[in-house]
Amino acid sequence: MPHSSFLASVLLLATACVPLGTPITDPNAARGGQQRPPEYYADKTLRYEDYTYSPDVRSVQCYVATGQNTEIFQPPVVPLSQQQPIVLEFDLLGSGSERLTAKLVHCDADWKPSVLTDMQFLNEINEFLITDYRTGVNVKVPYYHYRMQVPRVKISGNYLLVVQGAGNTPVLTRRLLVYQSGVEIAIRQGIPVAGQERYTMQQVDFSIGYGGTNLVNPSQEVKVMLRQNFRWDNAKTNLRPTFVRDAERRLDYQYFNFENAFPASSEFRYFDMRSLRVAGAGIAELDPTAAPRAVRLSPEATRNGQAYSQFDDINGQRVFESREYGNGATNGDYANVTFQLRAAQPAPGPVYVFGALTDWQLKDEFKLTYNAEQQQYTGTALLKQGYYNYYYVVGKTAGAPDDVYFEGSHQETENQYDLLVYYRPPGTRADLLIGYQMLDVNSRRP
């Protein structure tokens, strides 16, 4: 799905960002002209996850600055050398800027704050004023675009980047990973040991060699996490080795009950909103005179039960760009985007638009409403000008949402996987990220 040659053209001047919104008619609206959904933004308690605490904060992107066109697709994961920094970009809706600061919180493997003091992982005071911000240019929805480079840290592990506003109230959090190469990881695509599942699931087998590192009781103390498309909501955790080869100093992870298998789903749906004058792919109707501008996507249908369809996507990500003026960071405007999904009957749960545009979360702004007479789900969200990937998913009471109900699942789908390996040395007080490796399944890059 991700960084094919197709992406280079999708990318052109991309910077800044992530998602959200619903049309506004309420007098108690947010500064950017959007209604404040009560549930999602009501609780300002700090969460140790990717989260947005204010409806004014939009279009968040956190990536590694590689200097390449595809850098915005690089997850915030860097080696301990940190030669290429992690960058955070986001918009703050409204006609006035705010004083925002950021800090880092070192976390354990389970994303709980560690007991380390700031000076044990930083060389400077743990408060960073965000001074790089610019106003949106010639836009109907006013905003300020903020950008910051994350400071270097001294040890590997999990870090939570917290952006704070007045009164140290959190407005935005993002998970960051800094790893060291303490082990050798061999990772490959496996074959699910079953019947029908081999056509719908993707299994990832891997082994961890620790010949160059003295690990104490590695079979119990080494913690691993396996992710699909850099998502946290459906990550595989608490995986224990199936074979411990002490003589070879290697741990093998090859399961038989789908512990390390994921539904492959399908290539992501997409629409092209890089122009707000001419309707792009996936757009049925565009009103450039509205304020905010109005975009209606083409009606869509379920893909479950259909044959696999191959095309290049960007694994659920999005690119912010203005084809008219370039530089989507400050020249991209916002638009009310209406999604339309045909369904003969209601799904067995609430239906949402889902992807990086929602932080891989079920957000109120992206919940769709079913019209029985029209046999269609619809919903409107405020999104920044750009190119988007997304799924339609069904929310569940526990666990990751069901993206197979509307999208289907095919083992031919291109997906990215990455493996995180943690270890806490005896006598220390924090989990170190001692290994990291990526795998592109069904890659179509030359």
Side-chain angles (χ1 to χ4, degrees), residues 181-197:
S181 299
V183 294
E184 295 181 359
I185 300 174
I187 185 170
R188 63 181 179 86
Q189 182 179 5
I191 300 176
V193 183
Q196 192 63 29
E197 284 81 0

Side-chain angles (χ1 to χ4, degrees), residues 331-350:
N331 292 334
D333 204 351
Y334 280 82
N336 279 326
V337 179
T338 298
F339 296 83
Q340 303 181 93
L341 174 63
R342 295 187 180 119
Q345 58 189 18

Side-chain angles (χ1 to χ4, degrees), residues 360-414:
W360 301 104
Q361 297 171 2
L362 302 181
K363 290 192 172 183
D364 302 324
E365 295 98 322
F366 292 90
K367 186 176 181 179
L368 305 182
T369 301
Y370 186 69
N371 185 309
E373 183 178 345
Q374 298 178 356
Q375 294 188 330
Q376 181 170 268
Y377 281 97
T378 58
T380 302
L382 185 73
L383 294 172
K384 194 174 186 179
Q385 193 173 350
Y387 183 94
Y388 286 82
N389 272 190
Y390 62 98
Y391 277 152
Y392 291 112
V393 302
V394 179
K396 299 189 294 186
T397 55
D402 181 2
D403 57 21
V404 176
Y405 184 87
F406 284 115
E407 307 300 345
S409 189
H410 309 273
Q411 61 86 19
E412 300 95 334
T413 302
E414 190 272 336

Side-chain angles (χ1 to χ4, degrees), residues 4 16 49 128-129 165 180 185 191 208 294 321 324 329 380-381 433:
S4 63
E49 59 182 295
F128 310 95
L129 179 64
Q180 60 193 77
I185 300 174
I191 300 176
I208 299 172
E321 181 190 344
E324 287 79 22
T380 302
L433 183 54

Side-chain angles (χ1 to χ4, degrees), residues 408-430:
S409 189
H410 309 273
Q411 61 86 19
E412 300 95 334
T413 302
E414 190 272 336
N415 287 301
Q416 286 182 303
Y417 295 89
D418 62 348
L419 181 71
L420 320 177
V421 182
Y422 297 92
Y423 177 70
R424 178 176 296 195
T428 62
R429 302 189 298 164

Side-chain angles (χ1 to χ4, degrees), residues 7 55 68 86 227 274 287 305-306:
L7 294 200
Q68 304 296 318
I86 294 175
R227 300 190 300 175
R274 289 175 291 172
D287 183 359
Q306 297 181 1

Side-chain angles (χ1 to χ4, degrees), residues 254-288:
Q254 185 174 352
Y255 298 95
F256 304 96
N257 294 312
F258 310 115
E259 291 95 332
N260 57 338
F262 295 79
S265 196
S266 300
E267 310 297 350
F268 282 82
R269 301 174 190 260
Y270 63 91
F271 67 91
D272 188 345
M273 196 175 66
R274 289 175 291 172
S275 173
L276 289 175
R277 294 179 179 175
V278 179
I283 295 178
E285 185 179 349
L286 190 155
D287 183 359

